Amino acid sequence: MGECRMQKMLAFLSLMLVTLPPIYGWGTDGHSIICKIAQTRLSEEAADAVKQLLPKWAEDDLGSVCSWADQVKFRYRWSSPLHFINTPETCSYQYKRDCKDEDGEAGRCVAGAINNYTSQLLTYNSAADKAEYNLTESLLFLVHFMGDIHQPLHVGFASDKGGNTIDVHWYKTKQVLHHVWDTNIIETAEERFYNSNVDGMVDAIQQNITNEWADQVKRWETCSLNKTACPDIYASEGIKAACDWAYKGVKEVCT
Ligand SMILES: *[C@@H]1O[C@H](CO)[C@@H](O)[C@H](O)[C@H]1NC(C)=O
Ligand SMILES: *[C@@H]1O[C@H](CO)[C@@H](O)[C@H](O)[C@H]1NC(C)=O
Ligand SMILES: *[C@@H]1O[C@H](CO)[C@@H](O)[C@H](O)[C@H]1NC(C)=O
Ligand SMILES: *[C@@H]1O[C@H](CO)[C@@H](O)[C@H](O)[C@H]1NC(C)=O
Ligand SMILES: [Zn+2]
């Protein structure tokens, strides 16, 4: 085995042994876990609005529509830059510098999208409502992007496309680093610790929110500067977690 491959395996073994902090890595299960938990924590007013806005096929389950934004990425080509942020190989994030698409259009990144869809949803039940936006789509985008921005490698380096060009091993399978964080970590945890039962994992996280992490909850719920959403804070935490955890020990790309 080449030294390079060995290094990456070691990096991932040590990663696996670490107990994961709250919420990480978003394939379909990751997104659905986030939305299931979120739906139980809404105010009565917000819960009613969500119920009204959810499409019929969601059957009142926010978790079931949380990956809709990934499904429409190709139909709505314009939306694909809205799932992530690229930083210039640095472990910090700045809205002005980093929140743009490949053509340099400002605000076209996941932080800009969270601001965008939050302000659209704030018009719910107001005069501006109905006229301009499909608020069902605004809701489905928002709940998805709130998940994406918390996956460390969705705020990653432009040079490796958020870990998409870095090959690693996850146990016996070859994967790109980004996919490990989107999907593999969660699926392996489900299998190992929850008998492949997603609801068991949801329950365990909810119990932690009630107990272990109770003193952090106020901080998650409130946003400084009187804003309803604070994606810049999440993005800054994301790139820091990417450097401290996701990229750590992954030094070279072997092809
Ligand atoms: C804001 O939302 C509208 C409606 O979906 C969309 O056309 C536009 O591209 C979005 N812009 C950003 C930055 O999210
Ligand atoms: C709003 O968007 C949803 C999801 O794309 C779609 O099913 C629904 O028909 C749209 N509503 C209107 C009034 O266009
Ligand atoms: C719950 O919190 C404990 C203590 O921080 C941690 O060891 C455990 O992994 C957490 N469980 C989940 C499902 O996050
Ligand atoms: C926050 O909003 C309240 C009420 O709208 C206002 O009195 C206060 O000055 C605002 N604080 C900041 C930092 O903008
Ligand atoms: Zn996404």
Side-chain angles (χ1 to χ4, degrees), residues 26 31 69-70 73 82-84 144-145 147-148 154 182:
W26 318 152
H31 278 292
D70 278 337
K73 240 188 237 178
L82 303 181
H83 292 251
F84 60 90
H144 179 89
F145 294 147
D148 277 348
H154 275 252
D182 261 353

Side-chain angles (χ1 to χ4, degrees), residues 3-254:
E3 196 189 353
C4 167
R5 270 171 80 182
M6 189 65 186
Q7 264 180 12
K8 283 174 183 166
M9 289 238 317
L10 285 177
F12 279 89
L13 280 173
S14 56
L15 198 158
M16 279 150 33
L17 295 175
V18 168
T19 322
L20 293 174
I23 305 174
Y24 275 102
W26 318 152
T28 320
D29 281 3
H31 278 292
S32 122
I33 289 170
I34 291 164
C35 283
K36 271 178 202 266
I37 294 172
Q39 195 171 15
T40 66
R41 304 185 57 81
L42 296 172
S43 68
E44 206 177 311
E45 196 188 359
D48 283 346
V50 165
K51 229 176 142 160
Q52 292 301 315
L53 289 173
L54 278 178
K56 261 215 174 62
W57 46 269
E59 298 179 336
D60 290 339
D61 176 15
L62 191 61
S64 71
V65 293
C66 229
S67 291
W68 175 85
D70 278 337
Q71 290 154 19
V72 300
K73 240 188 237 178
F74 301 99
R75 183 155 35 109
Y76 295 166
R77 286 273 304 278
W78 54 267
S79 71
S80 65
L82 303 181
H83 292 251
F84 60 90
I85 292 166
N86 281 332
T87 75
E89 219 149 327
T90 150
C91 298
S92 69
Y93 156 83
Q94 290 168 22
Y95 183 89
K96 235 181 119 71
R97 184 192 64 198
D98 304 329
C99 191
K100 52 183 195 294
D101 64 15
E102 278 183 339
D103 302 327
E105 196 181 328
R108 302 202 66 80
C109 82
V110 66
I114 287 172
N115 288 331
N116 184 33
Y117 291 110
T118 300
S119 55
Q120 288 173 26
L121 286 163
L122 286 171
T123 69
Y124 178 72
N125 266 349
S126 77
D129 180 7
K130 294 179 185 78
E132 229 178 320
Y133 296 109
N134 179 330
L135 293 184
T136 295
E137 294 198 344
S138 309
L139 175 67
L140 302 194
F141 276 127
L142 180 65
V143 294
H144 179 89
F145 294 147
M146 283 295 276
D148 277 348
I149 200 171
H150 285 85
Q151 201 275 56
L153 290 176
H154 275 252
V155 191
F157 299 155
S159 52
D160 55 46
K161 301 188 190 313
N164 271 302
T165 64
I166 301 176
D167 289 319
V168 293
H169 278 94
W170 180 254
Y171 298 88
K172 289 182 176 150
T173 60
K174 196 174 170 193
Q175 289 291 356
V176 295
L177 184 61
H178 186 94
H179 188 268
V180 167
W181 283 82
D182 261 353
T183 303
N184 298 100
I185 292 175
I186 291 185
E187 285 183 354
T188 301
E190 272 165 25
E191 279 163 29
R192 283 221 181 159
F193 307 129
Y194 304 101
N195 255 319
S196 298
N197 172 5
V198 186
D199 289 333
M201 189 148 157
V202 169
D203 288 346
I205 294 168
Q206 280 180 311
Q207 262 176 40
N208 268 6
I209 295 173
T210 314
N211 302 313
E212 305 283 329
W213 307 324
D215 56 338
Q216 300 177 43
V217 171
K218 264 263 113 33
R219 194 151 44 81
W220 299 340
E221 286 174 347
T222 40
C223 214
S224 54
L225 308 169
N226 276 355
K227 289 185 186 152
T228 307
C230 31
D232 292 342
I233 294 174
Y234 314 143
S236 297
E237 291 171 350
I239 187 64
K240 189 168 182 311
C243 289
D244 290 351
W245 298 94
Y247 283 127
K248 200 169 180 176
V250 181
K251 290 205 171 62
E252 47 185 309
V253 185
C254 307

